[in-house]
Amino acid sequence: MQGGGHGPAVHDHGLGADQVLEALVVLANGQIVTASPCQNPDLFFAIRGGGPSTYGVVVSTVIKAHPTNKVAAQQLSFSPLSPTDVPVFMDALALIYASYPDLSDAGWSGYGSWATSPVPIVPNHSVGFTHAIAVFGKTAAEAEKLFKPVAAKLQKFKSSLSINTTYSTFPTFAAYYTALSGVTGPVGSSSALGSRLLDRKALTSRPTVLKNTLQAIGGTPDQFSSSYIVFVGGGQVFEDAKDQYSGVNPAWRKTYVHNIVARGWAPGSDAATIAAVHKDITFTKVQALKTLAPDTGSYMNEGDVQDPDFLKDFYGENIPKLQQIKKKYDPYRVFYCPTCIGSDAWKVGASGKLCL
């Protein structure tokens, strides 16, 4: 919530941070205060997307409730029929990415993933793409009609790709979430990741750059890279740009896709191997995404902890305002996290101690 908060209902109802109506916060001096549009509105702004763990301890919130709705969903996957068809796979992948802004404007949102190395994205294929996307308040027939222009474009790849599409409907959001979106991933994995928020310009204006970026983040087969597509922008996320109490990175207000790229390492890997993976994520893969979308930013909750530009990428234009709020409510810098507002005032010593 304090970093933004995404989920499968975000396109229709807004980011998690934008659901907060009021919060109870314990300040660094021990005082318990209410943060709302009427009480401590600057603190209310900061905790609604301006980063966690740095302004105070949020102990409770009052949030919005929304009526449920029927949901029509699509599951799409494709893989190359042979290793020589991987370039065709990349062309189809670029087509899907370029289609997401218009699909979002038509009401679609959801999640996807892909890999060009032996990561099990699609069963029985070492290279593959899949997504599960949905549109609220529609029937399966209506959803299929909305996706028809993209489906028609994909047909030109059918001689080189195995393409599978299914549609389904759910009576409530809860039923949809449980069936297709309620995935709990493993924790404590050994991996490095980075991300970038992609706007319409990044996704549609330079097709060659887009394809080159996808190839860069896909990496080589021995890297076991995987990418995750958080296709939840647009819709209410854009509308909530009008909210004067939203501390969310302004880049979210023009983002259609939040793209995550990750790599892992084998258990017992030495420090040099781990450092090389982190370096590749920061300076090759995330840098390629930055080249594609130079005017956006990154989502702090799934961003590169070693991003040298983390303040700009995670907080954007809100940095000066958030720094003032930090100074007001935590003047002695009691609260800290490595990539939070105020963390740039500290240095981490060789022993792990924080020094000013």
Side-chain angles (χ1 to χ4, degrees):
M1 176 197 76
Q2 289 177 261
H6 64 74
V10 160
H11 176 275
D12 288 75
H13 299 300
L15 291 164
D18 296 330
Q19 310 308 308
V20 180
L21 300 172
E22 182 180 287
L24 201 63
V25 184
V26 180
L27 301 180
N29 63 8
Q31 184 181 2
I32 301 174
V33 302
T34 296
S36 72
C38 301
Q39 301 179 67
N40 304 297
D42 52 353
L43 180 62
F44 186 58
F45 171 91
I47 64 171
R48 294 174 79 239
S53 309
T54 195
Y55 311 103
V57 179
V58 177
V59 294
S60 68
T61 58
V62 177
I63 62 173
K64 299 175 186 177
H66 302 278
T68 192
N69 203 343
K70 66 180 181 181
V71 180
Q74 180 214 64
Q75 291 173 274
L76 168 69
S77 66
F78 54 80
S79 302
L81 293 175
S82 71
T84 59
D85 292 321
V86 171
V88 180
F89 169 84
M90 296 305 298
D91 288 339
L93 183 66
L95 168 65
I96 290 293
Y97 268 78
S99 300
Y100 278 138
D102 286 346
L103 289 172
S104 174
D105 290 349
W108 288 99
S109 64
Y111 290 81
S113 58
W114 63 275
T116 55
S117 56
V119 177
I121 300 296
V122 177
N124 303 316
H125 290 83
S126 60
V127 175
F129 160 88
T130 185
H131 76 198
I133 60 175
V135 58
F136 289 12
K138 301 292 186 182
T139 66
E142 290 170 329
E144 188 169 359
K145 184 177 180 180
L146 287 174
F147 196 81
K148 189 174 181 179
V150 181
K153 293 177 183 178
L154 283 173
Q155 286 305 300
K156 66 181 179 182
F157 303 116
K158 64 181 182 180
S159 63
S160 300
L161 303 179
S162 170
I163 304 174
N164 296 286
T165 310
T166 60
Y167 290 88
S168 52
T169 56
F170 301 91
T172 64
F173 173 77
Y176 158 64
Y177 182 87
T178 301
L180 295 181
S181 290
V183 178
T184 302
V187 297
S189 60
S190 299
S191 63
L193 63 82
S195 66
R196 197 68 178 172
L197 301 173
L198 307 180
D199 58 4
R200 178 179 285 274
K201 179 181 177 182
L203 293 166
T204 65
S205 67
R206 297 183 293 168
T208 301
V209 177
L210 173 62
K211 185 177 177 181
N212 290 343
T213 301
L214 297 177
Q215 290 173 331
I217 66 176
T220 55
D222 61 302
Q223 292 182 335
F224 293 92
S225 302
S226 54
S227 286
Y228 303 92
I229 300 166
V230 181
F231 170 49
V232 298
Q236 192 61 40
V237 178
F238 288 6
E239 288 295 316
D240 285 336
K242 304 170 186 175
D243 185 350
Q244 63 179 311
Y245 301 109
S246 175
V248 167
N249 185 343
W252 266 110
R253 306 309 182 186
K254 60 180 180 179
T255 291
Y256 284 98
V257 170
H258 157 44
N259 198 103
I260 306 167
V261 58
R263 280 187 62 191
W265 50 83
S269 294
D270 58 27
T273 298
I274 296 171
V277 172
H278 276 285
K279 183 178 180 180
D280 176 60
I281 288 291
T282 301
F283 297 107
T284 300
K285 292 178 171 49
V286 172
Q287 186 55 52
L289 289 166
K290 288 184 179 184
T291 299
L292 176 67
D295 303 320
T296 59
S298 302
Y299 178 44
M300 67 184 76
N301 289 347
E302 290 159 333
D304 178 9
V305 70
Q306 296 189 6
D307 184 347
D309 302 314
F310 74 88
L311 276 177
K312 175 186 175 184
D313 287 337
F314 294 176
Y315 303 97
E317 301 159 22
N318 289 338
I319 294 172
K321 183 174 182 178
L322 292 171
Q323 288 173 330
Q324 288 300 313
I325 296 170
K326 168 69 172 176
K327 184 177 180 180
K328 175 181 176 180
Y329 288 97
D330 185 18
Y332 298 106
R333 303 185 180 98
V334 172
F335 299 119
Y336 168 86
C337 87
T339 56
C340 287
I341 291 291
S343 64
D344 54 319
W346 298 89
K347 300 294 181 184
V348 181
S351 65
K353 291 183 179 180
L354 291 174
C355 303
L356 287 173

